[in-house]
Amino acid sequence: MIRTLLAALALTLSAASVSAQDTAAEAQTPASIIAAAAPAEWVAIDAADLLVMELAPGASGEERRVVIQLVPPPFSEGWVENIRRLARAHWWDGTSVYRVVDNWVAQWGDADETKPLPDGLRDVPESAYVTPVERDPAGVRDFVMTPERAEIVVSRFIDSYAITAFVAGWPIALDDEGGSTAWPVHCYGHVGVARNLSPDTGSGSELYAVIGHAPRQLDRNMAVVGRVIEGIEHLSTLPRGKGEAGAYDGPALRVPIVSVRLGDELPDAERPRFEYLATDSESFAKYLWLRANRNDPFYRVPAAGVDLCNVQVPVRRAGG
Amino acid sequence: MIRTLLAALALTLSAASVSAQDTAAEAQTPASIIAAAAPAEWVAIDAADLLVMELAPGASGEERRVVIQLVPPPFSEGWVENIRRLARAHWWDGTSVYRVVDNWVAQWGDADETKPLPDGLRDVPESAYVTPVERDPAGVRDFVMTPERAEIVVSRFIDSYAITAFVAGWPIALDDEGGSTAWPVHCYGHVGVARNLSPDTGSGSELYAVIGHAPRQLDRNMAVVGRVIEGIEHLSTLPRGKGEAGAYDGPALRVPIVSVRLGDELPDAERPRFEYLATDSESFAKYLWLRANRNDPFYRVPAAGVDLCNVQVPVRRAGG
């Protein structure tokens, strides 16, 4: 898989040139680029890589379904393996969302931490927060986003935290001192593993989704295991907790989780079918460029820059 | 006021040294720095600079009050003047929050845009999105946040969008090419003026608050006029709209605004009293450094960096 990772980076480099003139002339927008992307640029997400979480119906009886895509190997593999085991054991059924903090996270699992965990969960070491990668020095080029440059190579760019890149549909950060590790990051909607004090890394039974500005200080300090690709509003609109550390002040306020299933365990008719825009595609390169350089009539001044978490990888229902 | 702005920058530079050794030895956190800040480091916010918005009570009858601090001069002055006039005319009473988009904004005002505006509102030109500043080249120093440096000068740092700084309690961006303008930015909870296509800049009657990851591409393209300092959850937890552009699909779903008042118009007992941690104080410098370099026992690896919107300026009820 490490080889695949490097291949993805190299492909990004060669496929991702985009002309500033093109984009300015047609007043394209990120949305128009997504709409015009070729079918072949979309990558199907395996149902086995999706978690479907059904919360108890809302106040008006509305369905509340949250779909989470698990991060692909080689990232956070031990925790993702635990999470698959927990889901196949239907362990989350009957647990709850028990902590919601504004501009921070919504967290779920067993609020009382008394429910026995299934056999076979691994203790994952802190070293697994990052993944060793071989760097190809020839493949590293700064990503400078200015409208004046006729040819933009979308490969890696530096934000306030790290060298960043897109790999296999995911925003990724890289070590900026010698460059030997990579890690998935905390963006809006991303899902991580709650834990106690270091060196505890969490089993994967207690999870959280980011519902505010990207808390990138958590990168490399907690395991990022997925991202919400549909239904984040069922978490982000929940009442904020008023108890300790934003927990709900009493069991009655918790939001019951009816079930959590891996997508491939659902009957065919209910199986989630999603796809993402390949991050090594030409359309993604244009999309990324426009995220940094809005030049449609609504905008007066392009930002000429963008941070990693402000470039959400397009994900849609398959055939959308 | 421009002189005051420059003075604030210079003061930041001289007062804001902090030793890495200090902070590591005591395992301080951003929260502990705020708690230990001296009373003299807190700056009272004038009630006349606050907007108090009362939404109709929630489903369980709970009060929903949102307190907004207006951005100080010289930023966005024309719009802030309009907003004061609209508030004094009680213009927002009976209007609504009519548009809520996940990871984007909650927007309020007159959904139907038929309510007559009060006399005396100014047309503000696009040029007012930014404010001319004199730059003091001697005052510009890069803000490099690494734990290895014994002495850190907190003055300005570059994030993915611009040179950034804190001025009079506000995160501010600066032109990075020759440096002659500054502008307030779009962070979580910040409030801006909705508008139609450029060159329209909006009167200030239709406002939005950011309820997701900072949409910094809007900087210099829309007027930032304030920030929510209490009650953001009453906006961020609202149901997301399913109509056009995230508007609520029908008037019945809109959230009624009972009243919007400038703080100094409220009776003394209800008058909001808030204060912010001076951004030219020693405690703010330490807080900022720790936002970039968490070294308490929960953290394993400090980020050694931070983006402007991930450094929320501490604001609390006065005497807190």
Side-chain angles (χ1 to χ4, degrees):
Chain A
M1 182 62 205
I2 286 173
R3 198 134 302 279
T4 313
L5 173 65
L6 290 171
L9 285 171
L11 193 55
T12 301
L13 197 66
S14 60
S17 64
V18 56
S19 139
Q21 205 174 353
D22 279 355
T23 51
E26 301 166 30
Q28 293 169 317
T29 65
S32 76
I33 294 295
I34 296 170
E41 294 183 304
W42 293 88
V43 181
I45 301 174
D46 195 325
D49 294 331
L50 296 175
L51 283 180
V52 179
M53 175 162 70
E54 295 282 355
L55 304 180
S60 330
E62 75 277 13
E63 194 175 68
R64 293 193 288 187
R65 175 179 288 198
V66 179
V67 182
I68 296 164
Q69 181 189 9
L70 296 170
V71 76
F75 302 110
S76 305
E77 286 187 273
W79 295 281
V80 170
E81 192 180 301
N82 284 353
I83 287 165
R84 290 181 193 280
R85 193 174 289 264
L86 287 155
R88 296 232 185 265
H90 299 182
W91 186 83
W92 280 290
D93 298 15
T95 65
S96 68
V97 184
Y98 56 80
R99 178 186 179 224
V100 184
V101 183
D102 198 77
N103 193 21
W104 191 241
V105 298
Q107 184 171 325
W108 63 92
D110 177 28
D112 301 318
E113 295 190 75
T114 55
K115 187 172 183 173
L117 293 168
D119 287 338
L121 299 187
R122 292 171 52 185
D123 275 332
V124 191
E126 291 183 324
S127 57
Y129 289 140
V130 303
T131 297
V133 290
E134 295 169 47
R135 270 175 80 168
D136 168 11
V140 179
R141 289 174 58 178
D142 284 343
F143 178 34
V144 181
M145 290 182 285
T146 64
E148 291 73 25
R149 292 183 62 189
E151 187 99 0
I152 309 290
V153 175
V154 178
S155 58
R156 307 178 184 192
F157 59 100
I158 296 172
D159 74 4
S160 301
Y161 300 89
I163 299 172
T164 60
F166 290 90
V167 176
W170 289 78
I172 295 295
L174 300 162
D175 197 312
D176 58 357
E177 283 167 18
S180 56
T181 60
W183 57 92
V185 296
H186 284 82
C187 295
Y188 188 91
H190 283 210
V191 174
V193 175
R195 64 165 171 84
N196 294 317
L197 281 187
S198 170
D200 179 76
T201 67
S203 67
S205 68
E206 311 306 301
L207 297 173
Y208 59 86
V210 173
I211 57 165
H213 188 75
R216 297 281 301 281
Q217 68 273 25
L218 300 179
D219 295 355
R220 294 185 289 175
N221 287 292
M222 302 184 82
V224 173
V225 291
R227 63 181 168 200
V228 176
I229 60 172
E230 192 174 270
I232 183 67
E233 68 273 17
H234 301 309
L235 297 171
S236 60
T237 62
L238 290 177
R240 284 23 180 169
K242 297 189 193 314
E244 191 184 342
Y248 286 133
D249 211 1
L253 297 173
R254 295 175 190 156
V255 180
I257 295 174
V258 176
S259 64
V260 174
R261 294 289 176 275
L262 282 163
D264 62 355
E265 206 183 339
L266 293 173
D268 195 60
E270 293 175 34
R271 198 165 285 188
R273 290 183 173 79
F274 286 86
E275 57 193 12
Y276 67 89
L277 184 60
T279 44
D280 55 1
S281 67
E282 190 173 347
S283 288
F284 185 80
K286 288 182 181 174
Y287 166 81
L288 173 53
W289 193 86
L290 282 171
R291 289 297 298 168
N293 295 287
R294 291 294 297 259
N295 55 14
D296 51 286
F298 189 82
Y299 284 80
R300 194 180 139 265
V301 184
V306 70
D307 68 280
L308 184 63
C309 288
N310 203 4
V311 185
Q312 288 192 297
V313 174
V315 178
R316 65 179 186 185
R317 287 187 165 262
Chain B
M1 182 63 206
I2 287 174
R3 196 136 304 278
T4 311
L5 173 65
L6 291 171
L9 284 170
L11 194 55
T12 301
L13 196 67
S14 60
S17 64
V18 56
S19 140
Q21 205 173 352
D22 279 356
T23 51
E26 302 167 29
Q28 293 169 317
T29 64
S32 77
I33 295 295
I34 295 169
E41 294 183 304
W42 293 88
V43 181
I45 301 174
D46 194 325
D49 293 331
L50 296 175
L51 283 179
V52 179
M53 175 162 70
E54 295 282 355
L55 303 180
S60 329
E62 77 276 15
E63 192 175 69
R64 294 194 285 187
R65 175 180 287 197
V66 179
V67 181
I68 296 164
Q69 181 188 10
L70 296 169
V71 77
F75 302 110
S76 303
E77 286 187 273
W79 295 281
V80 170
E81 192 181 302
N82 284 352
I83 287 165
R84 289 180 194 279
R85 192 174 291 262
L86 286 154
R88 296 231 185 265
H90 300 182
W91 185 83
W92 280 290
D93 298 16
T95 65
S96 67
V97 184
Y98 56 81
R99 177 186 179 224
V100 184
V101 183
D102 198 77
N103 194 19
W104 190 241
V105 298
Q107 184 172 327
W108 64 92
D110 176 27
D112 301 319
E113 296 191 74
T114 54
K115 186 172 184 172
L117 293 169
D119 287 338
L121 299 188
R122 292 171 52 185
D123 275 332
V124 190
E126 291 183 324
S127 58
Y129 289 140
V130 302
T131 297
V133 289
E134 294 170 48
R135 269 176 81 170
D136 168 11
V140 179
R141 290 175 57 178
D142 284 343
F143 178 33
V144 180
M145 291 181 287
T146 64
E148 292 73 25
R149 291 184 62 190
E151 187 100 358
I152 308 290
V153 175
V154 179
S155 58
R156 306 180 184 189
F157 58 99
I158 297 172
D159 73 4
S160 301
Y161 300 89
I163 299 172
T164 59
F166 291 90
V167 176
W170 289 78
I172 295 296
L174 300 163
D175 197 310
D176 58 356
E177 284 167 16
S180 57
T181 60
W183 56 93
V185 296
H186 284 82
C187 295
Y188 187 90
H190 284 209
V191 174
V193 175
R195 63 165 171 85
N196 294 315
L197 281 186
S198 170
D200 179 75
T201 67
S203 67
S205 68
E206 310 306 301
L207 297 173
Y208 59 86
V210 172
I211 57 165
H213 188 75
R216 298 279 301 280
Q217 68 274 24
L218 301 178
D219 295 355
R220 294 185 290 176
N221 287 292
M222 302 184 81
V224 173
V225 291
R227 62 182 168 200
V228 176
I229 59 171
E230 191 173 270
I232 184 68
E233 67 274 17
H234 301 309
L235 297 170
S236 60
T237 62
L238 291 176
R240 286 19 181 171
K242 298 190 193 312
E244 191 185 342
Y248 286 132
D249 213 0
L253 298 173
R254 295 176 191 158
V255 179
I257 294 174
V258 176
S259 63
V260 174
R261 295 286 178 276
L262 282 164
D264 62 355
E265 205 183 340
L266 293 173
D268 194 61
E270 293 175 35
R271 198 165 286 188
R273 290 182 173 81
F274 287 85
E275 57 193 13
Y276 67 88
L277 184 59
T279 45
D280 56 1
S281 68
E282 190 173 346
S283 288
F284 185 81
K286 289 183 180 172
Y287 166 82
L288 173 52
W289 192 86
L290 283 172
R291 289 296 298 167
N293 294 288
R294 290 297 295 259
N295 56 14
D296 52 285
F298 189 83
Y299 284 81
R300 195 181 137 266
V301 184
V306 68
D307 69 279
L308 183 64
C309 287
N310 202 5
V311 185
Q312 288 193 297
V313 174
V315 178
R316 65 180 186 185
R317 286 188 166 260

